[in-house]
Amino acid sequence: EAQVTQNPRYLITVTGKKLTVTCSQNMNHEYMSWYRQDPGLGLRQIYYSMNVEVTDKGDVPEGYKVSRKEKRNFPLILESPSPNQTSLYFCASRLTTGQGYEQYFGPGTRLTVT
Amino acid sequence: ILNVEQSPQSLHVQEGDSTNFTCSFPSSNFYALHWYRWETAKSPEALFVMTLNGDEKKKGRISATLNTKEGYSYLYIKGSQPEDSATYLCAFIQGAQKLVFGQGTRLTINP
């Protein structure tokens, strides 16, 4: 089954404790992206990757890191989480060869930083 | 930061009525526009990918149009059903890379 998976689905952590949210897709998509969803602000792009070893900042990259060492994986790293990073996070992927390809979203990770 | 606006923010429609809402986006360096449907407690799912000025796409009772020159897209739902209740998101892709979402239109269908 074609899918995007994220782990963990729920996480409660404390300020300053490094964490990684994993994202994996099995569709051989070049493009992968991370978003956060906050009430009243919609989905905002954190980082995206056009292919292996190619990453770029979205609109809200502060406090996050990413890496793209393999095509299928795109982990999101919070080196020192803070309460303002409490949010619902989505990973997504799509093909980039041509314009007509939609994004496929993972199930979401709800992160709470206390 | 690119500005993508959707209106209205929320909408209550009687079952059986038709409705439509708008997505406005920058008209420069257009690459594609996506429409997504997002049900509560689920992930967004793609409805349409629109790439050409004048595009019209249809999926069952839902259709969408695109005007890239003036920077807007309309989503139409004909004969609304309770299962159409969801948030509808548009996303603008500029230059094949960055993707910016609007804040969504939250649609509630009243039986």
Side-chain angles (χ1 to χ4, degrees), chain B residues 74-88:
Chain B
Y74 294 135
L75 191 80
Y76 301 90
I77 302 179
K78 189 176 176 182
S80 303
Q81 299 298 309
E83 60 265 28
D84 296 328
S85 294
T87 297
Y88 291 83

Side-chain angles (χ1 to χ4, degrees), chain B residues 12 14 27 30 38 41 43-44 53 56-57 61 70 81 94 99:
Chain B
H12 289 255
Q14 210 56 35
S27 54
F30 176 88
W38 192 4
S43 305
N53 185 43
E56 290 188 23
K57 298 271 175 110
R61 294 180 290 99
E70 295 182 40
Q81 299 298 309
Q94 189 181 59
L99 193 147

Side-chain angles (χ1 to χ4, degrees), chain B residues 1-14:
Chain B
I1 294 180
L2 300 173
N3 200 26
V4 178
E5 294 187 359
Q6 291 186 246
S7 62
Q9 287 189 0
S10 67
L11 195 52
H12 289 255
V13 173
Q14 210 56 35

Side-chain angles (χ1 to χ4, degrees), chain B residues 23-85:
Chain B
C23 172
S24 301
F25 51 86
S27 54
S28 62
N29 203 14
F30 176 88
Y31 185 78
L33 186 91
H34 295 184
W35 280 100
Y36 292 87
R37 171 192 161 86
W38 192 4
E39 292 181 71
T40 304
K42 293 187 178 179
S43 305
E45 289 186 353
L47 283 171
F48 303 114
V49 174
M50 310 187 80
T51 57
L52 296 174
N53 185 43
D55 254 356
E56 290 188 23
K57 298 271 175 110
K58 188 174 180 183
K59 188 180 286 190
R61 294 180 290 99
I62 305 177
S63 59
T65 61
L66 178 69
N67 183 324
T68 60
K69 293 184 179 174
E70 295 182 40
Y72 64 83
S73 176
Y74 294 135
L75 191 80
Y76 301 90
I77 302 179
K78 189 176 176 182
S80 303
Q81 299 298 309
E83 60 265 28
D84 296 328
S85 294

Side-chain angles (χ1 to χ4, degrees), chain A residues 9 31 35 37 40-45 48 50 56-59 88 90 94 96-108, chain B residues 1-2 30-32 34 36 38 41-52 89 91 93 95-103:
Chain A
R9 296 287 312 279
Y31 186 100
Y35 301 90
Q37 195 269 327
L41 295 176
L43 278 167
R44 294 180 294 167
Q45 192 174 45
Y48 64 94
M50 296 292 288
D56 210 342
K57 296 177 181 177
D59 289 326
L88 177 60
F90 286 101
R94 67 178 173 90
T96 53
T97 48
Q99 296 168 276
Y101 296 104
E102 70 268 34
Q103 281 194 127
Y104 292 84
F105 283 83
Chain B
I1 294 180
L2 300 173
F30 176 88
Y31 185 78
H34 295 184
Y36 292 87
W38 192 4
K42 293 187 178 179
S43 305
E45 289 186 353
L47 283 171
F48 303 114
V49 174
M50 310 187 80
T51 57
L52 296 174
L89 298 169
I93 305 180
Q97 296 184 14
K98 286 188 71 170
L99 193 147
V100 179
F101 281 88
Q103 290 194 19

Side-chain angles (χ1 to χ4, degrees), chain A residues 6 33-47 59-64 76 78 82-92 105 108-109 111 113, chain B residues 38 89 101-102:
Chain A
Q6 291 178 231
S33 184
W34 277 102
Y35 301 90
R36 60 178 289 174
Q37 195 269 327
D38 302 291
L41 295 176
L43 278 167
R44 294 180 294 167
Q45 192 174 45
I46 303 170
Y47 269 95
D59 289 326
V60 288
E62 294 79 20
Y64 304 95
L76 180 70
L78 284 72
S82 62
N84 65 12
Q85 292 178 298
T86 292
S87 188
L88 177 60
Y89 292 86
F90 286 101
C91 179
F105 283 83
T109 294
L111 172 66
V113 184
Chain B
W38 192 4
L89 298 169
F101 281 88

